[in-house]
Structure formats: C-alpha cells, structure tokens
Amino acid sequence: MSIKVGILNDGTQLLADIKEVTDGDQTQYMVIKPFEVVYTDTMEMQEDGTQTLSTTKKVGLKTWLEISDDQTFIINPNTVTTICDPVTDLKDMYEDLTRGRRI
C-alpha cells in the first residue's frame, strides 16, 4: 500500500492509496479508497497567567465522492499538482478507516 496525499488543481487534498499506472505511453493515477482531508476552525489556547497563545487546527477525513459506490478511481495527472507522504498521524487515521474501524 502506498498511502499518499494528492493535492488537486482545485485545492482538494486527497488521502488515499495512490499508484501510478501506465497504459502504453499514457500515465495516470489510480486512487484507491480516497478520503478528503478537511480542517476545522482554528482554535486559540492561552495558559492561565501567560501572554503566550498557541494555535491549533483539527484535521479530519471525509469520504470523497459520496455519490459513488466505487472505491477505485483513475485520475488524469493534469488535475494533480502535488503528491506527497502524509504525516504519521494522518496515515494511521487512514489505515484505521480502511480496515473498517471508525475513529
């Protein structure tokens, strides 16, 4: 399994098992069990009696293309700007969800 984050041209961030597939001279991406990375509002925290503020964002995953029962999609590479490795916590969330365990 090659769990990656794929950022699409429209800014959508997909977390999925992403593989490069070649058909003749054409290369595309096979995206298996994709989830969209979503962020909740920023939260500011301040410890009692200090001036220091810390800001955090919560990250979650939601089903991508909820209108489809498909779990595998072929994506044209022209619609993808970046593919990178996710941080460990995000990778663990993906593995938990794809094994059927809901967080």
Side-chain angles (χ1 to χ4, degrees):
M1 191 178 314
S2 182
I3 301 169
K4 301 284 185 182
V5 174
I7 303 174
L8 305 183
N9 291 342
D10 66 359
T12 301
Q13 297 178 9
L14 296 181
L15 180 65
D17 182 3
I18 300 176
K19 300 180 185 333
E20 216 175 73
V21 292
T22 304
D23 182 15
D25 61 349
Q26 188 175 22
T27 300
Q28 297 183 331
Y29 293 115
M30 181 185 312
V31 180
I32 304 165
K33 297 183 181 177
F35 288 90
E36 184 175 348
V37 179
V38 293
Y39 300 93
T40 59
D41 292 335
T42 303
M43 188 174 26
E44 289 187 1
M45 295 179 280
Q46 183 175 7
E47 290 187 36
D48 291 337
T50 68
Q51 297 292 338
T52 306
L53 285 176
S54 62
T55 304
T56 61
K57 280 189 177 181
K58 289 189 178 185
V59 176
L61 300 175
K62 74 174 194 170
T63 303
W64 185 61
L65 288 182
E66 294 174 322
I67 61 171
S68 176
D69 284 333
D70 292 342
Q71 292 192 15
T72 302
F73 303 88
I74 300 296
I75 296 180
N76 184 316
N78 293 332
T79 64
V80 179
T81 61
T82 305
I83 293 184
C84 58
D85 291 321
V87 295
T88 302
D89 288 345
L90 201 54
K91 184 176 179 178
D92 291 345
M93 285 173 66
Y94 179 84
E95 290 173 342
D96 286 343
L97 287 171
T98 57
R99 285 191 198 119
R101 296 192 314 249
R102 293 290 171 184
I103 297 174

